[in-house]
Amino acid sequence: MSYTKQDLKAQLAQMGITPTDRVLIHTSYKSVGEIEGGPDAFLDAFCEYLSEGLLIVPTHTWANVNRQNPVYRVHETVPCIGLIPRLAAVRRDGIRSLHPTHSVWAHGVGAEELVRGEELARTPAPVGGTWWRFGELGVKILLIGVGLERNTYIHAVDEIAALGRLSDKGEWEVTVVDAAGQEYVHPFRGHANTGSDNFGNFEEAFATLGVMKYARLGDAEVRVVDARACRDVLLAIYSRTDEHLCLTPAQIPRALWEDLRI
């Protein structure tokens, strides 16, 4: 079966997304199935549906901007995370942020405000930065054909909680080059062992508490995560334990979350 833009828009409405919402998408494009018009049409469907809202696409470069290659060029550095991010990064109907390793592409109302200041980011998801703003703005995170292990926003909550395990050993100097060729040079520190491969440990807690619900887009299963609720629940859980909850794959103990309310 193939899907049109109208099919995708109808499914967005069915999952409770409105044209005024701010929506972040992490996408396995192949999981959605055949789209008439291909990946450009896929992105267009979101841009058109969110006519008074905001679409956000991660365009991460953490695999190719590092100590050995410490330069990020906003119009040249290719994302390292998939087809839709690579496509979004070169589209000129939106704006790509200047974060050296965890940039995003934003299209719609408030896009410029969302990404302001990222050229000076010194960690992957600093407090006050773009990823931090998702909780403040009530962004809806769509994990399309992927699991919670792709939910980068959890890194932002970890930074809010100031978890000591987040920083790698030592800073390195990064150079960020904007669209006009201006350079910003500053120290940067990445993440160490965040356990992101095991963020699925929060699946039961998120689904039970209403942080996350399930939907469909094309052929793909979608996890719809409320960023504000995600933040609040995670911070409450973190306040109850000093353990690293994602070192190994295991559901979070119910005692840490079953009495929480969002």
Side-chain angles (χ1 to χ4, degrees):
M1 178 179 178
S2 64
Y3 298 93
T4 67
K5 288 194 296 182
Q6 287 305 120
D7 292 330
L8 298 181
K9 293 175 188 179
Q11 288 183 302
L12 288 172
Q14 289 169 5
M15 70 178 72
I17 303 299
T18 72
T20 60
D21 277 333
R22 302 175 179 96
V23 175
L24 168 71
I25 60 172
H26 290 274
T27 307
S28 167
Y29 178 72
K30 66 180 180 181
S31 72
V32 181
E34 184 178 347
I35 307 296
E36 292 185 11
D40 275 302
F42 177 85
L43 273 176
D44 287 341
F46 278 90
C47 292
E48 292 170 13
Y49 183 78
L50 298 170
S51 57
E52 301 174 68
L54 179 64
L55 173 64
I56 308 154
V57 181
T59 54
H60 298 337
T61 55
W62 44 262
N64 47 358
V65 177
N66 47 45
R67 293 175 186 269
Q68 292 72 41
N69 182 42
V71 181
Y72 169 75
R73 301 179 187 276
V74 68
H75 282 341
E76 297 179 21
T77 305
V78 178
C80 61
I81 56 171
L83 175 61
I84 295 301
R86 292 196 301 271
L87 178 62
V90 298
R91 285 181 56 141
R92 297 294 181 261
D93 55 343
I95 182 171
R96 190 183 186 190
S97 71
L98 295 175
H99 193 290
T101 62
H102 287 70
S103 62
V104 302
W105 177 84
H107 174 283
V109 179
E112 292 188 7
E113 179 67 13
L114 178 74
V115 303
R116 64 175 170 77
E118 290 291 89
E119 66 276 8
L120 301 179
R122 296 192 174 201
T123 62
V127 173
T130 292
W131 286 91
W132 172 86
R133 292 177 187 130
F134 295 162
E136 303 298 305
L137 295 171
V139 166
K140 294 180 179 179
I141 302 167
L142 306 189
L143 302 172
I144 304 168
V146 298
L148 283 171
E149 73 279 357
R150 295 293 180 262
N151 186 4
T152 303
Y153 180 64
I154 293 177
H155 290 311
V157 182
D158 288 352
E159 292 208 33
I160 293 170
L163 300 179
R165 64 176 179 267
L166 291 179
S167 297
D168 64 11
K169 295 180 180 179
E171 294 180 330
W172 44 281
E173 190 171 86
V174 68
T175 299
V176 174
V177 184
D178 69 15
Q182 182 173 347
E183 296 186 359
Y184 304 85
V185 181
H186 57 80
F188 189 82
R189 184 186 296 271
H191 284 160
N193 186 11
T194 63
S196 59
D197 286 344
N198 296 316
F199 282 168
N201 291 359
F202 295 105
E203 185 94 10
E204 181 185 13
F206 282 7
T208 303
L209 295 173
V211 172
M212 177 180 73
K213 65 180 183 180
Y214 300 93
R216 306 288 302 180
L217 189 70
D219 295 334
E221 180 179 61
V222 179
R223 289 165 173 81
V224 184
V225 180
D226 181 294
R228 185 178 290 119
C230 175
R231 176 198 64 192
D232 293 347
V233 165
L234 285 176
L235 291 177
I237 290 173
Y238 293 158
S239 73
R240 296 176 172 188
T241 182
D242 292 327
E243 293 185 24
H244 191 321
L245 297 173
C246 295
L247 275 179
T248 60
Q251 293 292 330
I252 305 302
R254 293 183 68 90
L256 292 177
W257 58 264
E258 62 183 351
D259 64 327
L260 297 176
R261 299 291 181 269
I262 61 171

